[in-house]
Amino acid sequence: MAQAWRCAGLSWTAGGPVLIWDGGRRSALTWGKTVAFGVAEGGARTCVGARGNTCPHTARVSARSTGPRCEECARLDRAHSVAADTLADDPRRYRVYLAWFGPGMAKVGITAERRGSARLLEQGAVCFSWLGTGPLMAARRTEELLRAALRVPDRIPYAAKRAARAALPATGEERAAEIAGLHGRALALTGWPESLDPAPFRPVDHVEAFGLAEAPAPVGAVGELAAGGAVSGELVAAAGPDLHLATDRGVLVLDTRLLPGWELVPAGGRRVEVPVRALKEPPAAQDGLF
């Protein structure tokens, strides 16, 4: 029987997307590279555990879920995280950003300064600009101020981001236009924490980094993995956790968050033998953006 591997997820580096495997092995992904794997026969998707610990129940996880943990491990993994607001005394500096994912879709968020733009690549932000830098709680207060004053969300469903990428404006200037307006309005607001240093508008565009300009439009997405199934295709683009693969069924989107928890084995060809679903239509314009 072929050796089985367990995927720990996708990471973005300066050189592009990288698949990470349990044990530390990494697979760099470049355009044109074949991404191929099978799912071990007779297996099931099991919880990956949390914070370096294995799941005490070896619990099963839904094949359709983008979260690879059971409820108990998910709670443990989230504890003491920035997102859960349990690290008020974190001494690191944080950046507030405005990110844009497609027409009418902008959000505000924060990320650790030391991470650079990695968080924006992981989210699939088509373009973004920094708003300011400061202590964690100052960054969090600024995020809340902008959400309330500008009616910009801090979360956007990933299916909506994926659909929006099918209808992107052709130029970087057009893609940056919405966050340019928001950035100007944000800096004009009163009530910014004194410890947060505002940043000028300097848009960063990820269309080239994601390979979206030259890639054919996807015709569908992998809905879930299944024991005995296989996915194989040529990488033509990637954005956030998504890989766009040219397969025998056209270009399909593979959300790599579906991989952790499965035992994966080598496969070949350009075949796809797992459930595939249609992509959602691009969303309507975001209410209240301006």
Side-chain angles (χ1 to χ4, degrees), residues 49-284:
R51 308 184 75 80
N53 301 301
T54 58
C55 176
H57 311 295
T58 316
R60 291 200 175 191
V61 179
S62 168
R64 297 182 180 181
S65 174
T66 55
R69 296 179 174 86
C70 66
E71 290 185 9
E72 181 177 332
C73 288
R75 284 194 298 270
L76 177 60
D77 187 67
R78 186 174 172 81
H80 308 297
S81 70
V82 171
D85 280 336
T86 56
L87 295 176
D89 59 347
D90 189 335
R92 297 173 296 178
R93 287 173 62 80
Y94 283 79
R95 281 175 160 173
V96 185
Y97 61 81
L98 282 168
W100 185 86
F101 300 90
M105 299 183 65
K107 64 158 282 188
V108 62
I110 69 172
T111 185
E113 183 180 34
R114 63 178 177 80
R115 296 205 66 209
S117 61
R119 179 66 177 149
L120 285 305
L121 291 163
E122 292 167 357
Q123 291 187 41
V126 175
C127 69
F128 79 94
S129 179
W130 302 120
L131 270 168
T133 306
L136 172 59
M137 297 315 294
R140 185 64 83 196
R141 287 195 298 273
T142 303
E143 180 186 40
E144 291 299 319
L145 170 67
L146 300 182
R147 283 203 315 123
L150 303 182
R151 297 182 63 190
V152 180
D154 61 354
R155 294 179 186 276
I156 294 176
Y158 203 82
K161 299 179 188 179
R162 183 178 295 130
R165 290 200 296 266
L168 296 176
T171 68
E173 290 78 9
E174 292 175 290
R175 293 190 289 270
E178 290 184 42
I179 57 171
L182 282 172
H183 192 282
R185 293 177 63 202
L187 292 187
L189 292 172
T190 59
W192 279 59
E194 292 183 1
S195 56
L196 193 104
D197 300 323
F201 181 66
R202 290 175 181 160
V204 178
D205 193 276
H206 285 155
V207 163
E208 183 176 345
F210 290 157
L212 296 173
E214 304 298 329
V219 298
V222 172
E224 61 184 281
L225 301 186
V231 175
S232 183
E234 178 184 305
L235 183 67
V236 296
D242 287 349
L243 302 182
H244 294 212
L245 304 177
T247 75
D248 60 352
R249 300 169 67 170
V251 175
L252 299 178
V253 175
L254 170 65
D255 187 334
T256 54
R257 295 175 298 176
L258 297 173
L259 272 59
W262 289 102
E263 288 196 340
L264 305 178
V265 296
R270 291 162 65 98
R271 61 197 177 101
V272 175
E273 298 173 348
V274 294
V276 171
R277 54 179 172 74
L279 291 177
K280 291 186 176 181
E281 292 293 322

